[in-house]
Amino acid sequence: MTEQPEAGRVVLVSGANRGIGAAIARELVSRGYRVSLGARSRESLAIAHGPENECRSYSEFDAFRPETAEMWVEHALSRFGEIDALVNNAGLAEQFTLQDSDESVLDRLWTVNVKAPMRLTRLCLPHLESSGRGRIVNLASLSGKRVRNAFVGYNMTKFAMMGLTHTTRHVSWDKGVRATAICPGFVRTEMSAYTDKIEPDEMIQPETIAHLVRTAIELPNNAAVAEMLVNCRLEDTL
């Protein structure tokens, strides 16, 4: 059984202007949470969610500009006074294979999918620890559990996100922080539009992932889930 959220618990969500991130923001607000939403453009957040109000605040967050992570956390604290959970949702899915010699794409993947979530974790962790029941949810991928394509850059960074999640669990467990990695297959978003392996209607819906994120946040300290593997088709290796 999940705990009923206390009114006004504060959650930071990255990449909240569309897709899974936008669905997470809507789910949390509908359940009484206050959300601080980060995206590369504050205007895109306003378009997706409407004007800021007592339960929503918007901040610029650009993975390629580390100072925006610091400014976002500072803004959330000044606006709401606390941080109870962090959802590292923003991600990049550019294609980089073993045969590609130009490593600029790999560098971008590493920056967005690994370094930015690690940076936000570091910045938020003191505030999550002080609550005694802080939560971190990292949106990883089944590509962080097994390999079924040639996109080595994406696969490497999603495996690294799993390492980030479990290291966070290890170092912050005694202070009440629980970290969870959610690893979906194809989700019906722009990121999955490239594939013809599965029809859009058969993919996981963003709202389903949003529900799982809220579940991870609301589970009590003594029933934490380290990983959620989410399938939309049979995975014979899992």
Side-chain angles (χ1 to χ4, degrees):
M1 178 180 294
T2 59
E3 298 176 331
Q4 291 301 314
E6 292 182 6
R9 290 188 74 192
V10 179
V11 186
L12 271 64
V13 184
S14 68
N17 57 317
R18 60 181 179 175
I20 295 173
I24 293 169
R26 290 191 295 266
E27 172 78 10
L28 293 176
V29 169
S30 73
R31 297 292 180 145
Y33 289 87
R34 293 177 292 170
V35 295
S36 179
L37 307 180
R40 295 180 70 180
S41 163
R42 294 180 72 252
E43 291 74 17
S44 67
L45 292 166
I47 291 171
H49 302 288
E52 293 182 272
N53 57 27
E54 67 280 357
C55 62
R56 289 192 306 262
S57 73
Y58 305 147
S59 290
E60 179 185 5
F61 170 63
D62 186 338
F64 298 101
R65 296 171 54 212
E67 69 276 10
T68 63
E70 297 179 6
M71 292 187 292
W72 179 17
V73 172
E74 291 173 0
H75 180 261
L77 289 169
S78 66
R79 178 70 182 272
F80 296 125
E82 62 185 321
I83 296 174
D84 300 295
L86 166 66
V87 180
N88 283 309
N89 165 75
L92 186 65
E94 287 190 77
Q95 297 180 4
F96 177 84
T97 71
L98 286 169
Q99 288 72 36
D100 293 328
S101 58
D102 180 359
E103 295 184 0
S104 59
V105 172
L106 178 60
D107 292 339
R108 290 195 294 272
L109 285 164
W110 203 258
T111 296
V112 175
N113 292 352
V114 183
K115 293 181 70 175
M118 182 179 66
R119 184 177 300 119
L120 283 171
T121 297
R122 182 174 64 247
L123 292 168
C124 290
L125 206 52
H127 309 287
L128 300 174
E129 290 177 346
S130 68
S131 78
R133 53 193 182 91
R135 298 290 182 266
I136 297 175
V137 182
N138 292 327
L139 268 295
S141 169
L142 285 178
S143 291
K145 298 295 295 181
R146 84 297 187 259
V147 172
R148 289 195 169 183
N149 57 54
F151 306 140
V152 65
Y154 184 78
N155 296 334
M156 286 170 61
T157 58
K158 290 304 181 179
F159 268 82
M161 177 167 264
M162 301 304 292
L164 170 63
T165 304
H166 288 290
T167 302
T168 304
R169 285 171 60 82
H170 178 75
V171 302
S172 62
W173 181 275
D174 288 343
K175 294 186 178 179
V177 178
R178 302 294 181 259
T180 300
I182 296 182
C183 306
F186 290 115
V187 182
R188 190 172 183 173
T189 64
E190 293 179 19
M191 191 174 288
S192 295
Y194 75 93
T195 188
D196 58 2
K197 295 179 180 179
I198 183 170
E199 293 297 320
D201 287 344
E202 297 175 347
M203 294 181 181
I204 304 162
Q205 299 302 304
E207 293 75 16
T208 303
I209 301 298
H211 177 77
L212 293 176
V213 169
R214 182 171 62 82
T215 298
I217 291 172
E218 294 179 2
L219 286 171
N221 279 12
N222 59 359
V225 177
E227 301 177 3
M228 297 185 186
L229 278 54
V230 190
N231 303 113
C232 57
R233 54 181 182 164
L234 182 63
E235 293 271 352
D236 54 10
T237 61
L238 300 175

